[in-house]
């Protein structure tokens, strides 16, 4: 049974190899066509090879990089393509006409020279437009930012060469077919003209009046903005694109804090991966520029994750730091000794406090603050048995982790058994949401993930063939399209795919009034339209950013997962859940080792307990964990009164007070260390009062 998805994997691998294979074969075809010579073969091989190369740059950029590592760069490929084409033309003519093709070669050399000139000038333009600070939701008009040139001119060097080579290649092919040299002359001249125009457009951006401000001027502007905005609370984040969700889950709680919030990023690419928010965002890639925050009014930063660059911001003595994590679980990663570097560790409830004490990683109890999980306010509470004929089961396995522990994820040993058992129940609707990092460390996890998705698609196809009930009206699909377009307009329309850093600053200047409320309303409308857009019996594979895991919580009657923060968050609903034990421990030992398991069922890798579990969900009288879930919720997430949002704000206010006290103490120490001349001390006293 597990081997059935194999053809799909083979199709995927074949699709990845198709374009590279076509390119290699096209060169072989060109060589044969040039030396025979054969005009049809030469023309066909050249045209197919160039088209495949353009498609490769459009859809398989990783493969382009692999060609580069083999020293078969796009320039080398195009030069060989043109060389074979010229050789074919020479062999098609008698020797008395060979000299005229010297002009073609010279014209191509001029074109390639212009290509390299364009590439060099593009680098200069990118450097002048790469400012030391990147912003969103801030009026950056003072930086004299102009819209970016098309990415084909500034960034996509390989695509530019291939596109600009189209006229010259077409002209040479036309000459091969017709025998008229004027086609080649015209084509090469047009390619060279395109390169000249590109160089001219790029050179215009280097004129003094067309450049943005200098780096020093940009930093001066940034310091002036800090002085005017006077931020007090903020979030610091550094990571890759796949970890952006860790920051995004804290945007709404951060926006509700008292004071003036700020988001500090370190990677330029991350700016566009932060979802729609009204909070000002600054990206400071260099450590020296990051240190300018020391003299700002920023008092505290929350940290959703640890990264190599976190230690850099922790050096700023005027800012207090709180580690909030992006989720809490019983895994060792939730008690990382790195947390000692922060001033405080903010956790959801008593369970995390106990977890740190048992881990004995050097975190003092006085530095732990319980704030609950303010993100979970949108989760709907348990309402008993499933309302409709179908039981919606959310299977959300976590990823394999960095430590190689086989018990981290169930997807390798148990995932296919779990999904197969669920799909066999005619009254189950499955929502499958794997962790975004699944397969990033252990290839077997990624392969199992693909097999599971193929199983779900096959099950949907089988159900669709035998059922006609529950199909939504055509208006449902139209409503989903409408809400999707509206949500995209509000969240991503400010970014263009080919925009560079400075243009993104220009496009994301100040937020639209009420945009945060509009985004929240549009998101709710989209979620409602999404669930209504497919039949009630149709299984769903959820791998994108929407719907998020909390929306899946609200749609589910039962959660199946691993030892992860998903369990802790899901308990906010008090709905039934089960945890898969792939650790090799006996069930009793497994429950003792991982307290979050104690209010749910434990599944073995063969998934044999799922039928009984489904029966207890459909008949609440058989659910023996109701009280245990309520108690565990309080233990994991803390009390419901005061609300988590309130506790989060109180913790932030208290940490800001500590920051104020620390700054005052630093000022006193500074004053006591200077000479006692009245004029010097008076000037410093005035400066301290102003700050």
């Amino acid at each position: 049974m597990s081997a059935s998805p194999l053809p799909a994997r083979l199709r995927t691998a074949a699709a990845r190899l198709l374009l590279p294979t076509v390119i290699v074969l096209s060169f072989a075809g060109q060589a044969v066509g040039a030396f025979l010579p054969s005009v049809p073969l030469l023309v066909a091989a050249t045209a197919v090879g160039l088209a495949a190369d353009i498609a490769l740059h459009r859809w398989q950029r990783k493969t382009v990089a692999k060609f580069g590592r083999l020293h078969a760069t796009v320039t080398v490929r195009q030069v060989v393509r043109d060389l074979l084409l010229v050789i074919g033309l020479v062999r098609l003519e008698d020797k008395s006409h060979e000299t005229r093709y010297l002009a073609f070669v010279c014209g191509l050399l001029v074109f390639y020279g212009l290509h390299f000139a364009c590439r060099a000038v593009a680098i200069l333009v990118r450097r002048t437009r790469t400012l030391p600070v990147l912003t969103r939701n801030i009026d950056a008009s003072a930086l004299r930012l102009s819209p970016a040139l098309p990415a084909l001119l500034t960034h996509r060097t390989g695509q530019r060469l291939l596109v600009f080579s189209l006229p010259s290649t077409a002209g040479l092919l036309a000459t091969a077919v017709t025998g008229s040299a004027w086609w080649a002359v015209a084509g090469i001249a047009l390619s060279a003209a395109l390169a000249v125009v590109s160089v001219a457009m790029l050179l215009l951006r280097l004129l003094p009046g067309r450049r943005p401000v200098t780096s020093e001027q940009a930093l001066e502007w940034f310091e002036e903005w800090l002085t005017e905005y006077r931020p007090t609370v903020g979030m610091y984040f550094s990571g890759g694109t796949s970890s952006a969700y860790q920051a995004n889950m804290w945007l709404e709680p951060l926006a509700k804090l008292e004071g003036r919030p700020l988001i500090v990023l370190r990677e330029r690419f991350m700016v566009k991966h932060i979802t729609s928010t009204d909070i000002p965002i600054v990206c400071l890639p260099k450590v020296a520029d990051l240190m300018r925050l020391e003299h700002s009014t920023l008092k505290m930063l929350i940290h959703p994750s640890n990264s190599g660059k976190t230690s850099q911001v922790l050096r700023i003595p005027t800012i207090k730091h709180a580690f909030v994590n992006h989720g809490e679980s019983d895994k060792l990663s939730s008690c990382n000794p790195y947390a000692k570097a922060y001033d405080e560790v903010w956790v959801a409830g008593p369970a995390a406090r106990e977890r740190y004490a048992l881990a004995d990683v050097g975190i003092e109890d006085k530095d732990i603050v319980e704030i609950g999980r303010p993100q979970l306010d949108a989760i709907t509470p348990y309402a008993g048995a499933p309302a409709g004929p179908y039981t919606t089961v959310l299977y959300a396995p976590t990823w394999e982790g960095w430590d190689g522990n086989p018990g981290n994820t169930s997807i390798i040993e148990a995932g296919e058994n779990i999904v197969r058992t669920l799909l066999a129940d005619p009254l189950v609707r499955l929502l499958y949401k794997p962790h975004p990092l699944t397969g990033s460390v252990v290839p077997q996890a990624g392969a199992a993930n693909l097999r599971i998705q193929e199983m779900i698609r096959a099950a949907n196809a089988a159900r669709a063939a035998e059922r006609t009930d529950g199909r939504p009206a055509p208006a449902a699909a139209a409503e989903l399209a409408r809400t999707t377009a509206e949500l995209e307009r509000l969240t991503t329309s400010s970014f263009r795919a080919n925009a560079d850093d400075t243009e993104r600053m220009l496009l994301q200047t100040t937020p639209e009034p009420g945009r945060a409320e509009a985004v929240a309303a549009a998101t709710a409308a989209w979620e409602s339209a999404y669930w209504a857009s497919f039949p009630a019996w149709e299984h769903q594979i959820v791998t994108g950013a929407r719907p998020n895991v909390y929306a899946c919580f609200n749609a589910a009657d039962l959660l199946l997962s691993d030892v992860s923060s998903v369990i802790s968050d899901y308990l906010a609903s008090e709905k039934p859940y089960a945890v898969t034990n792939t650790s090799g421990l006996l069930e009793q030992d497994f429950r003792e080792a991982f307290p979050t398991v104690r209010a749910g069922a434990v599944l073995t890798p063969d998934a044999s307990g799922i039928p009984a579990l489904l029966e207890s969900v459909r008949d609440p009288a058989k659910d023996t964990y109701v009280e245990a879930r309520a108690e565990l919720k309080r233990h994991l997430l803390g009390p419901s009164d005061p609300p988590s949002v309130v506790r989060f704000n109180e913790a932030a206010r208290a940490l800001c007070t500590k920051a104020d006290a620390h700054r005052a103490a630093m000022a006193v120490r500074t004053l006591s260390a200077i000479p006692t001349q009245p004029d010097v001390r008076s000037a410093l006293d005035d400066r301290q009062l102003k700050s």
Side-chain angles (χ1 to χ4, degrees):
M1 294 292 292
S2 62
S4 59
L6 183 60
R9 300 204 307 277
L10 290 177
R11 288 196 300 271
T12 302
R16 288 196 300 266
L17 293 174
L18 177 61
L19 290 176
T21 303
V22 169
I23 291 172
V24 172
L25 292 177
S26 72
F27 283 117
Q30 266 193 286
V32 174
F35 287 98
L36 280 179
S38 171
V39 172
L41 181 58
L42 181 64
V43 171
T46 304
V48 169
L50 183 56
D53 221 337
I54 293 175
L56 189 74
H57 278 76
R58 175 64 179 84
W59 290 299
Q60 295 187 22
R61 295 184 182 178
K62 291 183 178 179
T63 307
V64 172
K66 292 179 180 178
F67 268 119
R69 288 195 289 271
L70 295 173
H71 302 289
T73 63
V74 62
T75 304
V76 171
R77 296 197 300 274
Q78 188 58 31
V79 167
V80 172
R81 189 175 291 120
D82 286 340
L83 178 63
L84 289 173
L85 190 51
V86 172
I87 291 174
L89 289 174
V90 171
R91 291 183 62 80
L92 286 169
E93 298 285 350
D94 56 62
K95 294 185 178 181
S96 62
H97 292 87
E98 287 184 2
T99 55
R100 72 176 181 176
Y101 293 108
L102 180 61
F104 297 168
V105 174
C106 292
L108 289 172
L109 289 176
V110 170
F111 166 67
Y112 282 108
L114 290 169
H115 162 70
F116 287 115
C118 185
R119 184 174 182 178
V121 179
I123 293 173
L124 293 176
V125 170
R126 290 202 304 269
R127 287 180 178 176
T128 61
R129 293 178 62 84
T130 303
L131 299 180
V133 57
L134 183 60
T135 69
R136 264 178 62 185
N137 300 332
I138 298 173
D139 184 1
S141 57
L143 298 180
R144 303 199 307 267
L145 306 178
S146 59
L149 289 169
L152 191 67
L153 300 184
T154 56
H155 291 80
R156 299 172 186 171
T157 304
Q159 280 184 290
R160 181 177 67 235
L161 175 61
L162 294 173
V163 171
F164 286 6
S165 294
L166 283 173
S168 61
T169 303
L172 290 169
L173 291 177
T175 296
V177 173
T178 65
S180 174
W182 290 108
W183 289 107
V185 172
I188 294 172
L190 181 54
S191 290
L194 289 173
V196 169
V197 171
S198 300
V199 172
M201 292 175 65
L202 289 166
L203 286 173
L204 286 175
R205 292 305 179 99
L206 295 178
L207 295 176
R210 303 293 298 275
R211 293 187 183 188
V213 297
T214 64
S215 295
E216 190 57 38
Q217 289 172 328
L219 290 172
E220 290 175 0
W221 166 85
F222 175 61
E223 290 187 339
E224 291 174 0
W225 178 83
L226 284 175
T227 302
E228 180 181 352
Y229 179 64
R230 298 183 63 80
T232 54
V233 297
M235 176 175 68
Y236 177 91
F237 189 77
S238 172
T241 55
S242 60
S243 61
Y245 74 95
Q246 299 172 357
N248 289 330
M249 69 169 58
W250 285 98
L251 294 180
E252 186 175 348
L254 180 65
K256 294 179 179 179
L257 288 179
E258 294 179 10
R260 290 171 295 279
L262 176 68
I263 297 173
V264 181
L265 305 176
R266 301 301 307 283
E267 291 81 18
R268 294 177 183 272
F269 60 79
M270 187 59 68
V271 174
K272 66 178 180 179
H273 291 284
I274 300 297
T275 57
S276 184
T277 178
D278 291 342
I279 302 174
I281 300 174
V282 298
C283 177
L284 299 165
K286 294 183 179 180
V287 180
D289 301 332
L290 180 70
M291 293 298 113
R292 293 174 184 260
L293 294 175
E294 179 176 355
H295 303 292
S296 71
T297 55
L298 190 61
K299 299 179 181 180
M300 60 147 290
L301 289 170
I302 62 172
H303 296 257
S305 67
N306 299 311
S307 72
K309 295 180 180 179
T310 301
S311 61
Q312 297 169 353
V313 74
L314 294 178
R315 294 188 233 169
I316 301 179
T318 57
I319 300 176
K320 292 293 183 179
H321 303 270
F323 181 58
V324 295
N325 212 338
H326 53 275
E328 293 184 11
S329 72
D330 291 326
K331 291 187 292 188
L332 292 177
S333 58
S334 290
C335 297
N336 195 318
Y338 192 89
K340 290 183 291 186
Y342 302 96
D343 297 289
E344 293 181 352
V345 177
W346 294 359
V347 300
R353 185 186 294 274
E354 296 171 3
R355 193 180 301 122
Y356 273 108
L358 290 173
D360 192 23
V361 292
I363 309 299
E364 297 187 32
D365 188 72
K366 66 180 179 63
D367 294 329
I368 298 177
V369 180
E370 298 177 23
I371 63 166
R373 288 279 285 170
Q375 301 90 339
L376 306 182
D377 291 348
I379 296 179
T380 55
Y382 181 46
Y390 297 98
T391 303
T392 300
V393 180
L394 171 62
Y395 178 41
T398 191
W399 67 303
E400 53 271 27
W402 299 112
D403 57 7
N405 189 333
N408 285 342
T409 178
S410 61
I411 197 169
I412 299 175
E413 294 186 26
E416 292 169 83
N417 293 331
I418 290 173
V419 171
R420 187 179 299 108
T421 304
L422 291 171
L423 296 178
D425 191 316
L427 296 180
V428 164
R429 177 184 65 163
L430 173 61
L431 306 180
Y432 175 59
K433 188 172 178 61
H435 194 282
L437 295 178
T438 298
S440 60
V441 175
V442 181
Q444 292 90 329
N449 178 35
L450 293 177
R451 291 195 297 270
I452 288 172
Q453 294 188 31
E454 190 68 18
M455 292 169 63
I456 295 173
R457 294 188 188 98
N460 274 337
R463 278 193 175 183
E466 64 186 25
R467 308 191 72 100
T468 59
D469 62 307
R471 295 186 182 278
E479 177 64 12
L480 178 61
R482 186 194 67 79
T483 55
T484 300
E486 175 63 12
L487 190 55
E488 290 292 326
R489 184 189 70 81
L490 289 169
T491 57
T492 63
S493 61
S494 296
F495 292 120
R496 288 212 306 266
N498 65 342
D500 64 8
D501 288 344
T502 54
E503 187 175 3
R504 292 194 180 106
M505 293 176 69
L506 177 65
L507 293 168
Q508 279 280 356
T509 52
T510 54
E512 303 171 10
R515 192 180 68 180
E517 293 77 8
V519 169
T523 301
W526 181 88
E527 290 177 356
S528 177
Y530 173 80
W531 298 118
S533 65
F534 52 83
W537 44 259
E538 185 173 285
H539 310 296
Q540 292 297 307
I541 301 171
V542 184
T543 56
R546 293 194 300 261
N548 62 27
V549 69
Y550 301 138
C552 294
F553 286 173
N554 290 336
D557 302 305
L558 169 68
L559 169 70
L560 305 182
S561 188
D562 306 320
V563 176
S564 72
S565 61
V566 172
I567 298 294
S568 302
D569 288 352
Y570 187 78
L571 270 167
S573 68
E574 298 187 28
K575 295 178 183 178
Y577 72 94
V579 185
T580 306
N581 178 13
T582 56
S583 65
L585 297 173
L586 297 176
E587 179 176 333
Q588 185 59 35
D589 296 334
F590 184 65
R591 290 183 180 275
E592 292 178 359
F594 304 107
T596 54
V597 181
R598 69 186 186 209
V602 174
L603 296 178
T604 54
D606 62 4
S608 58
I610 286 182
L613 178 61
L614 290 172
E615 185 178 353
S616 69
V617 173
R618 292 161 179 161
D619 183 2
K622 299 179 180 180
D623 184 359
T624 59
Y625 293 104
V626 177
E627 295 182 0
R629 289 197 299 271
E631 188 279 329
L632 184 58
K633 173 186 174 181
R634 290 190 295 269
H635 189 60
L636 291 176
L637 304 177
S640 57
D641 189 30
S644 180
V645 173
V646 174
R647 286 183 282 156
F648 181 54
N649 187 67
E650 290 176 349
R653 191 189 309 161
L655 193 56
C656 286
T657 301
K658 290 183 179 180
D660 289 335
H662 180 68
R663 292 189 183 202
M666 289 177 61
V668 170
R669 288 195 296 270
T670 301
L671 287 173
S672 63
I674 64 173
T676 56
Q677 287 89 343
D679 54 341
V680 175
R681 183 172 293 277
S682 176
L684 287 172
D685 287 341
D686 291 342
R687 184 180 302 175
Q688 294 299 331
L689 286 173
K690 290 179 181 179
S691 64

